[in-house]
Amino acid sequence: MKRINILLAVFFVIMQISAQNSQTEKSEKPLVAENMPSFGEQISSKGALDVKEMTAKYANMAVADTLKTKFTATVTDVCQAKGCWMKLQLEDGQETMVRFKDYGFFMPKDIKGKEVVVNGLAFVEEMSVADQKHYAKDGGKSATEIAKIKAVKKSFGFEADGVLLKK
């Protein structure tokens, strides 16, 4: 009988500790600046690279390379169909095309010119003419501008799992 009582006491102690840990996990807030709307996974702006540092990282990458990183940049364009991609300004007039992991979230369509922090995978790819035209159309470019796209181009891409929108 003593053994059963001891086992029950140990069981209740373990259950109590488990319940306390569960409550602690639920009450902890992610490290997100309170004044920045968040999209996708909860991220922090802490440790984000600036545009100059990110441009240097891209310059050292070859086609098909990937790099897990976080950086801050200004939005130059957003998909006007549903906010399913955005372009961010890099140094020397270059841009990076940001898509969202598993199309799990979208961005507001009116954030052009605003600063964001993106977290995820940076990569270098070659973009086909068809893809360039598709994105130009989504971006609201004119038929004349779209018709000028005739060559495959090396581009910088980014798959974001989380985005912070600075106000």
Side-chain angles (χ1 to χ4, degrees):
M1 189 68 173
K2 274 186 173 181
R3 289 183 185 180
I4 292 175
N5 287 340
I6 292 172
L7 276 173
L8 283 173
V10 169
F11 175 76
F12 285 118
V13 169
I14 291 172
M15 293 300 291
Q16 185 67 23
I17 291 171
S18 176
Q20 287 175 348
N21 287 342
S22 175
Q23 288 297 327
T24 302
E25 288 173 8
K26 288 179 184 176
S27 66
E28 290 178 6
K29 291 185 177 180
L31 297 174
V32 176
E34 292 175 13
N35 63 345
M36 287 192 243
S38 178
F39 302 87
E41 291 182 14
Q42 297 293 316
I43 64 169
S44 164
S45 61
K46 185 178 181 180
L49 303 174
D50 64 25
V51 171
K52 189 173 187 174
E53 293 170 311
M54 193 61 215
T55 303
K57 297 272 186 194
Y58 272 123
N60 291 323
M61 295 172 69
V63 173
D65 283 351
T66 59
L67 173 68
K68 178 91 172 129
T69 191
K70 178 181 357 179
F71 73 101
T72 303
T74 302
V75 178
T76 59
D77 202 3
V78 180
C79 173
Q80 293 302 298
K82 58 183 173 182
C84 58
W85 56 262
M86 65 183 170
K87 290 183 181 178
L88 302 180
Q89 185 68 50
L90 297 174
E91 292 279 295
D92 303 325
Q94 299 179 75
E95 293 179 317
T96 184
M97 170 68 87
V98 180
R99 296 175 198 98
F100 309 110
K101 186 175 182 180
D102 300 326
Y103 282 96
F105 60 98
F106 301 107
M107 297 301 293
K109 299 176 201 176
D110 62 348
I111 61 170
K112 187 174 180 178
K114 296 195 177 182
E115 194 171 41
V116 294
V117 177
V118 292
N119 185 76
L121 287 175
F123 55 92
V124 177
E125 65 183 348
E126 287 185 342
M127 189 180 297
S128 71
V129 172
D131 283 348
Q132 291 178 65
K133 288 183 177 188
H134 171 79
Y135 290 125
K137 182 178 178 184
D138 281 355
K141 303 292 184 199
S142 70
T144 306
E145 291 175 297
I146 294 171
K148 291 179 183 177
I149 300 171
K150 297 186 187 265
V152 173
K153 76 173 189 177
K154 180 179 172 181
S155 63
F156 301 132
F158 197 88
E159 182 182 77
D161 54 26
V163 179
L164 291 176
L165 176 60
K166 294 188 175 185
K167 290 188 176 183

